[in-house]
Amino acid sequence: MSYSRDRLTEVAAVFLKLGTIGFGGPAAHIAMLESEIVARRKWIDRSQFLDLIGLTNLIPGPSSTQVAIYIGYLRAGWWGLIIAGICFILPAMAIVWALAIGYERTRELPQIIAIFAGIVPVVVVLTLQATLKLGRSALKNIPTGAAGVSAIFGLGYLNLNTLLVLFLAGFGVMLWQNWRGWKRGLSVIWLPRIELPILAIFPVIASHPAWLDVFAMFLKIGATIYGGGYVLLAFLQPELVDRTHWLTSQQLLDAIAIGQVTPGPLFTTATFIGYLLAGHAGAVAATIGIFLPSFGFVALVTIWAPKLRQSRWFSSWLDGVNAGAWGAIVVVAYRLGASTLTDWQTISIAAIASGLLWKWRLDPIWLVLGGATIGIMGQLARSHH
């Protein structure tokens, strides 16, 4: 199947834009993807979009980036898959790379963290809006509604593992909707688990890592990390601080902070760390290493998922997974709002953004720029006192 150059150019432009304004982490990225791809451009419908969210939550790597990669494939084939992923990652990589250079020279976090404070309330609003929209498609009946509520309880109150909750939600809905056919036999669906033998080649124990050591480390992390950017710290601390002693705890926390306040995937934290460990070559090696497995995993999903969707058992299981993924977004949106909307400035920004979004349906880029402007003005006002 061939696609026109116009489609590839369109994919590149859209994902460069989203990669540049995509503040706030995976849940916010999902909100912006829904707004741009589903609501505005109508490349896919909400049920397809939910399938992508559910499926990418079941494979290792950054889920929102993988949704972007998958959308690129659906819009413009295999070249679209590659271009969408690169364009979504590239802006964040460039920004984080520049900040890493400044950080190494000053050993202090840039004031960018304070400046971007105005953007986060906008991200909360965008995430809440996407949660409402996706809920209408995800909670299509009583079983999926029960799965969504159970996921919120399991993740928000019991603090269960996200992957476990998604599998249980899918399994519960699958049994609920197909229990009458149980006696006729269950066609077991095995999701392939990908093992990368190459991970055993590089022991990664050098006290002064070269770019190849950095690449091997982040390839390993990118191929095995579940839960997206929010669990990145839990993976990096034992590897980079405790085992190899490549970084101090403070350097790692600074790197995570930079990844959180800059746009695009949180996994571009790897760019920052790679630069600290092995200079410019390390920045490139770390970025390629952590994202490369995602392209491979998504490519495999595009092959087997559409066929499995035709199975009644798998289809109902995926409906449950989608409902569970919706519940996970609800929990993240609530926690993000509770930690962000804590003073008059953030509450005011969120209220203004809500009004503009619901009344005029502004493009999120204007809301993000407006929030950034207010954040900058607030920082300047505080610095004069």
Side-chain angles (χ1 to χ4, degrees), residues 57-117:
N57 270 283
L58 297 173
I59 57 179
S63 56
S64 59
T65 305
Q66 289 166 340
V67 170
I69 293 170
Y70 205 151
I71 291 171
Y73 169 78
L74 293 177
R75 185 63 178 170
W78 293 110
W79 278 112
L81 179 150
I82 296 169
I83 289 172
I86 291 174
C87 289
F88 189 63
I89 296 164
L90 206 55
M93 176 187 177
I95 294 170
V96 172
W97 196 342
L99 292 175
I101 295 171
Y103 175 85
E104 189 180 50
R105 293 176 180 173
T106 64
R107 288 295 167 183
E108 295 178 1
L109 276 180
Q111 291 302 311
I112 194 172
I113 291 179
I115 293 173
F116 285 141

Side-chain angles (χ1 to χ4, degrees), residues 232-233 236 251-261 266 269 273:
L232 193 57
L233 180 62
L236 294 178
Q251 285 176 315
L252 179 58
L253 290 173
D254 288 348
I256 295 291
I258 286 294
Q260 288 176 329
V261 301
L266 294 179
T269 296
I273 294 172

Side-chain angles (χ1 to χ4, degrees), residues 104-161:
E104 189 180 50
R105 293 176 180 173
T106 64
R107 288 295 167 183
E108 295 178 1
L109 276 180
Q111 291 302 311
I112 194 172
I113 291 179
I115 293 173
F116 285 141
I119 294 174
V120 182
V122 175
V123 168
V124 172
V125 172
L126 293 173
T127 306
L128 289 173
Q129 186 204 37
T131 301
L132 293 174
K133 288 182 178 179
L134 294 174
R136 299 189 193 109
S137 299
L139 311 182
K140 57 180 71 174
N141 49 33
I142 293 176
T144 52
V149 172
S150 299
I152 293 172
F153 179 77
L155 294 168
Y157 184 73
L158 300 179
N159 290 317
L160 297 178
N161 177 273

Side-chain angles (χ1 to χ4, degrees), residues 16-23 32 119 123 263-264 363-365 368-369:
L16 277 173
K17 170 189 170 182
L18 293 172
T20 303
I21 67 168
F23 293 90
M32 290 185 181
I119 294 174
V123 168
D363 189 318
I365 189 171
V368 169
L369 290 174

Side-chain angles (χ1 to χ4, degrees), residues 292-323:
L292 187 59
S294 292
F295 287 86
F297 287 132
V298 173
L300 290 173
V301 169
T302 63
I303 295 170
W304 55 259
K307 296 176 183 177
L308 288 179
R309 200 31 154 151
Q310 298 172 8
S311 161
R312 189 173 51 130
W313 286 91
F314 180 80
S315 182
S316 56
W317 179 79
L318 188 55
D319 285 342
V321 171
N322 292 345

